[in-house]
């Protein structure tokens, strides 16, 4: 598959999507440019998380660590985020969505956005036509454990 993510990770809040994203972000075979992109959530995505991540990456790319080394930034992240942020507030475009993942360069790439568990059936149908090899990972958690985790925060 050339473009598009290899997987979508969906799930309820406090079901482990953040943990999974943290684990995959440091695995050399995976590329997770931003967690909770939420591009598919609405007809006109605002991409607020992507904008904040892009601003942090631009700021970090000009800095050095205390030891003089540059911070670890995947060079694909900035063009990926710039492509989306340039279209923030515009109508959702699944061709744009799929083409942005062409940067994955042989890695497995995913979009981890728990809110996708509520996607409209029309979006799912169109996405499955655009990215036929797409896999969906659904994370579930015992409701009482989720509630307790939420309360503890």
């Amino acid at each position: 598959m050339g473009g598009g993510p290899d997987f979508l990770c969906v799930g309820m809040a406090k079901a482990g999507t953040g943990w999974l994203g943290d684990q995959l972000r440091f695995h050399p075979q995976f590329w997770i440019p931003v967690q909770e992109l939420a591009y598919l959530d609405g007809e006109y995505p605002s991409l607020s998380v992507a904008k904040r991540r892009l601003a942090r990456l631009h700021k970090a790319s000009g800095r050095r660590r205390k030891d003089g080394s540059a911070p670890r930034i995947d060079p694909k992240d900035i063009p990926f985020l710039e492509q989306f942020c340039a279209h923030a507030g515009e109508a959702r475009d699944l061709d744009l969505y799929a083409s942005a993942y062409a940067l994955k360069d042989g890695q497995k790439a995913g979009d981890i956005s728990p809110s996708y568990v509520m996607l409209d059936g029309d979006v799912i149908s169109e996405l499955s036509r655009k990215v036929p090899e797409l896999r969906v990972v659904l994370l579930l958690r015992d409701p009482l454990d989720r509630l307790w985790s939420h309360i503890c925060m």
Side-chain angles (χ1 to χ4, degrees):
M1 177 174 81
D6 296 293
F7 65 92
L8 291 181
C9 180
V10 303
M12 307 304 268
K14 304 295 179 208
T17 55
W19 175 86
L20 179 63
D22 290 343
Q23 302 312 303
L24 295 179
R25 190 172 295 110
F26 293 103
H27 193 288
Q29 294 176 336
F30 287 86
W31 177 50
I32 311 293
V34 62
Q35 190 140 335
E36 297 192 37
L37 177 64
Y39 184 76
L40 303 173
D41 280 350
E43 194 173 333
Y44 298 93
S46 67
L47 299 166
S48 56
V49 171
K51 289 178 198 175
R52 285 193 305 271
R53 171 106 170 103
L54 181 60
R56 283 194 307 271
L57 288 175
H58 279 304
K59 190 174 181 180
S61 65
R63 287 192 196 153
R64 292 276 183 205
R65 293 184 180 144
K66 290 180 182 180
D67 65 1
S69 66
R72 183 184 162 276
I73 297 174
D74 189 315
K76 300 182 298 281
D77 289 0
I78 291 176
F80 175 89
L81 293 166
E82 285 175 341
Q83 184 171 351
F84 278 106
C85 291
H87 299 281
E90 296 177 7
R92 178 181 49 227
D93 178 348
L94 294 183
D95 288 322
L96 167 75
Y97 179 75
S99 69
Y101 284 92
L103 297 167
K104 62 186 172 182
D105 193 30
Q107 292 174 297
K108 296 291 183 189
D111 183 353
I112 301 175
S113 295
S115 57
Y116 290 169
V117 77
M118 301 297 290
L119 281 179
D120 183 61
D122 293 339
V123 175
I124 295 168
S125 294
E126 186 179 352
L127 188 60
S128 67
R129 284 191 299 276
K130 299 264 184 216
V131 189
E133 300 294 317
L134 182 69
R135 299 292 179 245
V136 177
V137 177
L138 172 64
L139 294 182
L140 300 173
R141 186 173 181 188
D142 179 273
L144 293 177
D145 290 341
R146 279 186 56 235
L147 176 63
W148 182 248
S149 179
H150 183 74
I151 291 170
C152 290
M153 284 195 70

